[in-house]
Amino acid sequence: MLAAFLPPYPFRSVPAPYLWCYYRLLCEWATESCMFITGRDYVRLIDQWEDRWECTADAATRLDYSLPKNTQPPQHHYAWLDEGRFDDWLRIHNHNPLAVFRHFLCERDNAYEEELHAILCSAPNRIEAVITFLNVPSLSAVCQRLGIPVIHQELGPLRGHIYRDTAYFDFQGVNGNSEAANRERNFRDWSLTGLKLADLLMFFLKDPSFIKRLPGKTSEVGIALQVEDDSNLVAFGNGMDNQSIILAARSQVATSSLLIRPHPGSLFTLREGSIPIDESLTSLEFVARCKKLMTINSSVALEALFLGVPVTIFGDSSLCHLATESPHSVSLVRRLAFYVFAYLVPRSCQLDPCYLRFRLDEPDEKTIIEYHLDCYMRDDDMTLPKENDFEDLQTKLLAQVWASNQVRTHHNERLQVLTDQVNMLSKELTDVNKRLIEEGEAHGHAIQVVEQITEQLNNLTKQHSDTLDELRIREKKIEECNEILNKIRNNRILRLYINRFILKL
């Protein structure tokens, strides 16, 4: 059975700190019976969490998981870690949570190893591997004694809305203690003649034409800052922090020649006006503005390598061995290609049980690269070439990279044309709607005037009818009076009386 180690300790004042990883594992391992070594907060019902970004639909979509209706599926086995141990560590480290975090990431702990040993030995079935999202020396030591592989994972350096999504997959460590350099050093199966850094970058950009829209150089040195309490800085920064790297850069060039890109997850903001701050929409655009990049161990370093920008990495990183190469050199292209196609994995493979077992079978690098290439080709909806269509892996990789870049470039150009057409039609539709609204308003005004005239006409018609009725009544009265007068005229006695007595008065 597969197992996942998800520490419950609030190193950064947040319980269940790897909650999104747990939710994604529940989706990826839905048909498996697995073991979770974790804390009880992870199995809280969704509606019991308040203001957790992991419980939003946006986060679930962005990180490829569904919000679980059952947060503790019955097919899985759960082993609960002693969460009180965190308070013990705090007392030892002067109640400094980051010091505890550093201890957890860098040092072995005998008491903790005893707890982990007992938990792993209590598994109902043989554990094939333990998945962890951070380096834990105690976990690695116990698993080594028990003969259990440890797979270190994390979101890869290429992700977001402009790149294919990648992930780290490492049997030694993630960022710190990485196996990337050793694996690449032992691989000499290609020269990749003709391949350029731009080809590699275009392959991993969702829109290859994005590379043509990058800005020019404006700053001597760019500084990529990181989250202050991130494990990369806490454990693998070699003593450097955000303040230190700014001071190091200012000792080399004038402050006005720097360009600093703060991390969006930082708890602090730089004071405006004190130093140039990058406001690029993407980190790739930021790197394109810089003649040189400095970072502790940010993944932005990979983008600098893609663009041929010299990069200084102060901390421990899986990219350190590549930062020593000359920009745009044949050697850098060859080594960087291994890094992105062999070391990094497609994120869709990261937690897939089939892929995990594929890697546990210890395939050679050629087989791993072909597996990854096939995943990327499927993402592009491209027909996979047959094995015998290529003489070797190098030819296959070059053909697929160039074919993918060409197809996606054409696709995105066509998509841009269609998008422009849609935008034009949308504008025309907006104009038509505007005219319709204006005509509708005019029509409405005309209807209002007609209704007013109609009302006035109805009033006049009623008045006319009433007048006619009144005239008819008056005519009837006149007729009655005439009849009376006629009767008087026809009555001789009455007429004599009138003439004799009334008219003479």
Side-chain angles (χ1 to χ4, degrees), residues 2-257:
L2 296 169
F5 174 78
L6 300 169
Y9 318 113
F11 298 115
R12 291 177 280 190
S13 302
V14 178
Y18 297 90
L19 187 61
W20 74 266
C21 300
Y22 176 62
Y23 289 164
R24 189 162 171 224
L25 282 165
L26 289 183
C27 293
E28 295 280 357
W29 293 357
T31 59
E32 298 275 326
S33 177
C34 302
M35 182 177 187
F36 288 96
I37 305 167
T38 187
R40 296 183 185 276
D41 280 330
Y42 282 92
V43 299
R44 276 197 211 175
L45 298 178
I46 294 289
D47 56 11
Q48 292 180 354
W49 287 109
E50 294 182 3
D51 301 325
R52 286 295 291 253
W53 63 267
E54 299 95 331
C55 299
T56 63
D58 176 69
T61 300
R62 179 166 48 87
L63 295 170
D64 299 324
Y65 62 85
S66 301
L67 295 176
K69 295 180 180 179
N70 184 353
T71 55
Q72 190 176 349
Q75 79 267 26
H76 297 312
H77 178 75
Y78 289 81
W80 307 116
L81 291 162
D82 178 8
E83 298 183 43
R85 191 177 299 279
F86 183 71
D87 294 328
D88 297 335
W89 287 331
L90 278 176
R91 283 190 289 271
I92 295 172
H93 294 280
N94 197 29
H95 296 277
N96 182 343
L98 289 187
V100 173
F101 198 19
R102 188 177 298 107
H103 165 80
F104 187 74
L105 296 168
C106 300
E107 301 174 22
R108 292 180 56 178
D109 185 299
N110 291 334
Y112 194 49
E113 290 183 19
E114 291 179 6
E115 180 183 7
L116 291 174
H117 187 276
I119 286 175
L120 291 169
C121 290
S122 70
N125 296 298
R126 182 184 66 84
I127 296 178
E128 300 169 76
V130 175
I131 310 300
T132 178
F133 294 88
L134 69 172
N135 292 358
V136 185
S138 290
L139 176 67
S140 297
V142 172
C143 287
Q144 184 177 15
R145 289 203 306 270
L146 296 175
I148 300 173
V150 178
I151 302 175
H152 300 81
Q153 297 206 358
E154 191 181 353
L155 291 178
L158 303 177
R159 57 180 185 266
H161 65 284
I162 69 168
Y163 291 112
R164 300 177 189 266
D165 283 315
T166 59
Y168 291 108
F169 188 109
D170 198 304
F171 285 98
Q172 289 183 191
V174 61
N175 289 311
N177 307 321
S178 166
E179 65 182 4
N182 287 335
R183 282 180 57 192
E184 189 273 328
R185 191 177 298 113
N186 294 326
F187 183 78
R188 292 289 184 271
D189 287 1
W190 58 26
S191 61
L192 301 180
T193 304
L195 191 69
K196 301 183 183 304
L197 291 177
D199 296 323
L200 293 176
L201 176 57
M202 288 174 65
F203 182 84
F204 283 93
L205 285 170
K206 289 181 179 178
D207 179 3
S209 65
F210 188 82
I211 196 173
K212 299 177 182 179
R213 304 193 296 271
L214 293 175
K217 308 294 183 188
T218 59
S219 302
E220 291 295 324
V221 177
I223 305 174
L225 301 183
Q226 296 166 245
V227 178
E228 294 76 13
D229 58 0
D230 185 81
S231 62
N232 293 337
L233 262 64
V234 171
F236 311 115
N238 290 336
M240 294 287 283
D241 56 23
N242 287 339
Q243 178 68 23
S244 302
I245 195 172
I246 293 175
L247 292 175
R250 292 177 69 176
S251 69
Q252 295 185 20
V253 297
T255 300
S256 59
S257 298

Side-chain angles (χ1 to χ4, degrees), residues 319-337:
L319 290 164
C320 286
H321 64 293
L322 300 178
T324 60
E325 291 285 350
S326 299
H328 296 290
S329 65
V330 174
S331 177
L332 174 61
V333 174
R334 176 179 57 77
R335 301 180 74 185
L336 186 58

